[in-house]
Amino acid sequence: MAVSSSPPPASSRSPTNLPGRGLGAVLVALVLASFSSLNISSHLGHFYSIYSPPLCKLPIPFILAWCPVVKGPTFVCEAGTYGTQIVSLDPLLVYIHSFLRPAEIESLLNTADPLFKPSTVTKNGRKVGSDERTSSTAGLPLEDPAVQCVLNRASRFMGLLMREDVDEMGPPQLVRYSAGQKFNIHHDWYDRPQWAYDGSNRQFNRIASFFAVLQDNCTDGETYFPSVGPPAGNGDTTDKQGRPPQEPRRWVRSDPVWREHESGGLAFRPIRGNALFWLNLQADGTGHEKTMHAGLPVGSGIKTAINIWPRQFYTVN
């Protein structure tokens, strides 16, 4: 008996008549309806937010589409207040309490962290490495919001010493000292004014310096001015722990801000957020020899600070 090869009637081939297909369709519809009511997008997003560290590294478009977008906190420049103490009039040296805010410190450190490299000194107009300065430095981008915040505060502190549209705050620099690192006695002003970098017929020198501390988790590491005497009648110059000079100085909150150095002059301990300000140039534009200073060696730990060198410009005919 021959078996017919003709297809069965169309009605018998419909999905609802195939074994199990009708039930499967019903189950799929129920599952989709259930996911719809449970907001599947929300659940998948939650899943990927938990497992995003490993999954979001995979170059798979479907996975990347669900990865959460991570945004850093927006920096806000705080007004705040700071306190000042005049330490010396010749040269003018001012101690500034709470010059930097915690949010500024964290932002500056995060920005500078990948930028540190061995420090240099300027000799004969060239930047060279030297065992006189063994720290690390990081130039900071001027467009950074935290950098702008700190520079604007420094500019306001300078007042009329900065001529609008003539002088500049200059690019700031972070400096970091680890165990044994130092910067021998030096001055910040240039022996000869530097030519402006814009190709104009102007020269500049560093009229002043700000040195503000960002990290102070170290022993020793004072900023030392050998030619600056102690202010009369100021109790801050007494070393309350009475330590011999050779012992490491492990700073505590009760320590004085500065002390009389055993070789003469003043030594300022690093305190997070506080700053030193001094004028580098005399009225005739020459450098003030008494502004010579040093970054004494760090015993252990890390000391990080920001250098700001406002620039005074001169037109050369």
Side-chain angles (χ1 to χ4, degrees), residues 122-284:
T122 301
K123 291 187 176 182
N124 300 320
R126 298 178 57 190
K127 293 183 178 181
V128 296
S130 172
D131 57 6
E132 297 176 2
R133 188 186 190 192
T134 56
S135 58
S136 299
T137 55
L140 294 172
L142 288 174
E143 67 276 8
D144 182 86
V147 172
Q148 283 296 313
C149 179
V150 174
L151 288 183
N152 288 337
R153 183 177 303 127
S155 179
R156 291 192 297 271
F157 185 92
M158 293 282 293
L160 297 178
L161 288 175
M162 298 293 291
R163 297 166 296 174
E164 189 175 358
D165 299 326
V166 177
D167 300 323
E168 301 173 359
M169 291 306 297
Q173 175 193 88
L174 253 61
V175 58
R176 174 167 289 167
Y177 297 85
S178 58
Q181 293 185 334
K182 61 176 183 174
F183 194 174
N184 290 348
I185 291 179
H186 63 284
H187 53 72
D188 289 349
W189 44 270
Y190 294 110
D191 293 318
R192 291 183 296 178
Q194 304 292 294
W195 285 101
Y197 300 127
D198 59 5
S200 64
N201 62 333
R202 299 183 304 154
Q203 292 182 327
F204 71 89
N205 210 332
R206 294 170 172 172
I207 184 175
S209 294
F210 290 85
F211 184 79
V213 177
L214 285 76
Q215 291 177 304
D216 60 359
N217 52 327
C218 65
T219 61
D220 299 321
E222 295 164 295
T223 302
Y224 173 44
F225 287 80
S227 300
V228 175
N234 194 311
D236 277 346
T237 60
T238 302
D239 188 340
K240 298 176 183 178
Q241 294 190 19
R243 291 160 292 207
Q246 67 272 17
E247 286 191 6
R249 296 180 179 273
R250 303 182 184 278
W251 307 113
V252 296
R253 187 178 297 273
S254 60
D255 281 338
V257 172
W258 63 78
R259 67 182 179 91
E260 292 186 56
H261 193 272
E262 51 272 11
S263 298
L266 295 183
F268 297 81
R269 70 180 177 96
I271 301 178
R272 174 182 164 99
N274 292 3
L276 282 164
F277 167 84
W278 63 93
L279 286 180
N280 289 312
L281 303 180
Q282 302 184 93
D284 61 359

